[in-house]
Amino acid sequence: MYASVNGTRLYFDVDGAEVEVRGGELVRKPVCFVLHGGPGGNHIGFKPSFEALTGTMQLIYVDQRGCGFSDEAPEETLHIDNNVEDLEALRQHLGLGKVWILGHSYGGMVAQAYAKEYGEHLAGLLLVTTAPNSTFLAEAKAIVEEKGTPEQVAICETLWAGDFQSDEQLTQFYELMGTFYSVRVQREGARPRPKTKRNFRALNQGFGGFMKTMDYTKSNAAITVPTLVIAGA
């Protein structure tokens, strides 16, 4: 499904009912926006892993502007501030009250930015393998330099500089870096995955630009809604 909001057209997909009949009574479940990582990723990677969550909440998967099945967007608009405004515009477009946000990786950064600007519209946050500020960049660089192969170190230099030039180059990055993202890939090697759209320009805007100065540490201290911070090693 599509929504024309904030000067762009966003793709979203709804999974699960908002209202169910339980024991003869109508029960309204909380609504949760699910935000993908990247920048430049898409929602497909969440499926079918999150289906169990529909027993307790309605999920709305969102492809951020210029990403996944959403419309192309000018490169200069691929910024976290616009991701936040897009999400708020989509909330209003769907006629929703307070919502939960589940943000993974970069999506968690967008969730924190949304909490800063529109905390009054939040019911809760699920922050999965994400970061509150730009210090994660130095930590990530150190890990790659310590544990990476020469090929992995080289491709990450492109990431840190925000200098990807093509979809093929970005695909090569994810293929080379699979062992950093998945224990299963370390054990068994990469499995075939459907070809989905990633936006290397969005990734460049983030790593080469605004993520270098991102900091939600102070604004996070003002969050009062239930918040789960989760990561794995």
Side-chain angles (χ1 to χ4, degrees):
M1 291 172 278
Y2 289 90
S4 295
V5 294
N6 197 33
T8 192
R9 195 172 74 130
L10 297 180
Y11 178 89
F12 66 98
D13 194 7
V14 179
D15 195 2
E18 182 184 7
V19 179
E20 291 185 346
V21 178
R22 297 178 187 171
E25 300 291 334
L26 291 177
V27 176
R28 185 177 296 273
K29 295 185 293 186
V31 178
C32 181
F33 283 121
V34 183
L35 305 183
H36 62 76
N42 57 69
H43 79 283
I44 293 296
F46 290 121
K47 298 179 176 181
S49 304
F50 285 10
E51 286 181 357
L53 294 178
T54 60
T56 54
M57 60 175 60
Q58 183 184 56
L59 304 179
I60 301 179
Y61 298 96
V62 181
D63 280 346
Q64 296 159 30
R65 66 164 53 211
C67 301
F69 297 112
S70 291
D71 283 3
E72 295 284 351
E75 185 169 349
E76 64 273 13
T77 71
L78 302 175
H79 192 282
I80 193 168
D81 292 346
N82 281 325
N83 295 146
V84 168
E85 295 305 321
D86 292 347
L87 191 63
E88 171 57 14
L90 180 60
R91 185 194 67 82
Q92 294 183 30
H93 175 82
L94 296 176
L96 298 173
K98 292 187 176 183
V99 294
W100 283 75
I101 300 177
L102 189 160
H104 170 250
S105 191
Y106 174 67
M109 300 171 197
V110 177
Q112 292 169 80
Y114 183 93
K116 178 182 178 181
E117 298 298 326
Y118 296 106
E120 69 274 18
H121 300 315
L122 273 179
L125 288 168
L126 303 164
L127 304 177
V128 183
T129 320
T130 187
N133 55 51
S134 60
T135 59
F136 83 94
L137 289 168
E139 295 169 1
K141 289 178 184 178
I143 291 170
V144 172
E145 289 172 3
E146 177 188 355
K147 303 189 178 197
T149 66
E151 292 79 10
Q152 289 172 325
V153 171
I155 197 71
C156 280
E157 288 302 321
T158 303
L159 177 69
W160 314 137
D163 195 29
F164 287 103
Q165 299 297 314
S166 67
D167 293 330
E168 292 74 21
Q169 191 180 20
L170 185 57
T171 297
Q172 181 188 25
F173 168 82
Y174 283 108
E175 289 175 350
L176 283 172
M177 298 303 294
T179 55
F180 274 83
Y181 287 99
S182 171
V183 174
R184 187 179 66 196
V185 172
Q186 293 174 10
R187 291 195 311 260
E188 306 171 11
R191 295 182 180 181
R193 294 180 60 85
K195 186 176 181 180
T196 56
K197 176 187 168 187
R198 295 181 184 271
N199 190 330
F200 70 88
R201 295 179 178 87
L203 199 65
N204 288 344
Q205 288 290 311
F207 279 86
F210 62 82
M211 288 167 71
K212 292 181 177 180
T213 57
M214 176 192 74
D215 191 350
Y216 300 108
T217 310
K218 290 184 179 178
S219 55
N220 281 352
I223 293 173
T224 57
V225 296
T227 301
L228 174 66
V229 181
I230 186 170

